[in-house]
Amino acid sequence: RDSLDIEIRVMPYSDDQYLLVARDVTQIKQLDNLRKDFVANVSHELKTPLTVLQGYLEMVEDPSMTPPGMMTKAVGEMQRQSERMRLLIDQLLELSRMETPSHDVFDRVVDAPVLLQQLQTEAEKLGKAKSINVHFDIAPIKVYGKEDALRSAMQNLITNAIRYNHEGGDIRVTWQMVGSEVEFSVEDTGPGIASEHLPRLTERFYRVDKDRNSERGGTGLGLSIVKQALQHHNCELQVNSALGKGSRFWFRLPAGLRVTNKRH
Ligand code: ADP
């Protein structure tokens, strides 16, 4: 290992002898640091909109001190900031639900085509607001799995493809057999992601361009939720991206999860 954290204890053994006990606490320390970082990040992310909100509240408290025309801007900004806090809390709860091992204990038959049709309706609505063309190509394949987790993974990937896309861009969502596995894929014509960021995308609160992405409404939690959701199905998120061209995010469910006619 690169570094090691050792906890050393000295214990009396006999009148003139001591016992030296060394314990490798590297993993415990790492987990503790992760927890501390997480708490610091959550506090920071919640504090930022709260500070803006409080600033505007102070301003509108005394209408005589509020410049004309500022009231509407202030109310709009307060709505935007409280919406941001709500989204962050919703995503934190979703992440915590996905991390809980007992989440939806049993695999059930998930009617993925029906689920994807619902997601298509949502995506078309979201895409319309940004003039993004949304294409879905859904094969009639059902799977065994956890519906909540699959919905969450698919929804987050589709939302990102729309959120980071240019106006007038395209997204293509497919659900199809690839060899013996079922593949879910979302391809977009957005800005793409530089290769040095790819390994860190699923870290909690990791954003490629923090300021710009916050403006777009991201929290930095979406892909960590996807990662957790996919762990319930023993599969991993894959990504391919080219700067200026777009990105493709996909995952393949193990063959055993497909519902075959025989089993169904
Ligand atoms: P966020 O809530 O900020 O979208 P995510 O965890 O979903 O957080 O994504 C992490 C970062 O990865 C985003 O902030 C964004 O910079 C980048 N990203 C994710 N999906 C895409 C995409 N389809 N195109 C370009 N960048 C993306």
Side-chain angles (χ1 to χ4, degrees), residues 91 156-157 160-161 163-164 188 190-193 201 203 206-209 213 217-224 247 249:
Q91 290 220 297
N156 274 294
L157 294 175
N160 277 352
R163 176 183 288 148
Y164 296 107
D188 67 60
I193 305 163
L201 287 183
E203 285 176 23
Y206 189 80
R207 276 167 282 190
V208 173
D209 178 344
N213 291 354
T219 60
L221 289 175
L223 293 178
S224 51
S247 312
F249 285 84

Side-chain angles (χ1 to χ4, degrees), residues 53-155:
L53 202 58
Q54 280 174 328
Y56 279 105
L57 271 175
E58 271 168 32
M59 192 180 90
V60 298
E61 210 176 9
D62 182 355
S64 66
M65 296 295 285
T66 311
M70 268 310 275
M71 196 61 114
T72 319
K73 183 176 181 287
V75 171
E77 194 53 35
M78 286 193 285
Q79 271 167 347
R80 214 169 71 86
Q81 297 300 334
S82 46
E83 179 56 30
R84 179 156 182 76
M85 288 171 73
R86 195 190 58 77
L87 177 74
L88 188 68
I89 291 165
D90 281 351
Q91 290 220 297
L92 283 168
L93 289 173
E94 198 175 350
L95 183 62
S96 143
R97 233 168 359 107
M98 291 301 148
E99 281 178 341
T100 312
S102 65
H103 162 84
D104 222 358
V105 185
F106 300 108
D107 282 1
R108 293 171 207 279
V109 175
V110 181
D111 195 337
V114 168
L115 172 62
L116 281 157
Q117 260 160 29
Q118 294 163 359
L119 294 177
Q120 181 174 7
T121 309
E122 281 174 27
E124 279 167 354
K125 224 156 125 193
L126 207 64
K128 211 169 171 187
K130 269 184 79 180
S131 311
I132 285 167
N133 308 300
V134 173
H135 312 273
F136 270 63
D137 194 350
I138 310 164
I141 308 163
K142 295 181 186 177
V143 287
Y144 280 102
K146 298 175 171 56
E147 180 157 350
D148 261 19
L150 279 178
R151 176 194 300 276
S152 190
M154 292 169 170
Q155 199 171 33

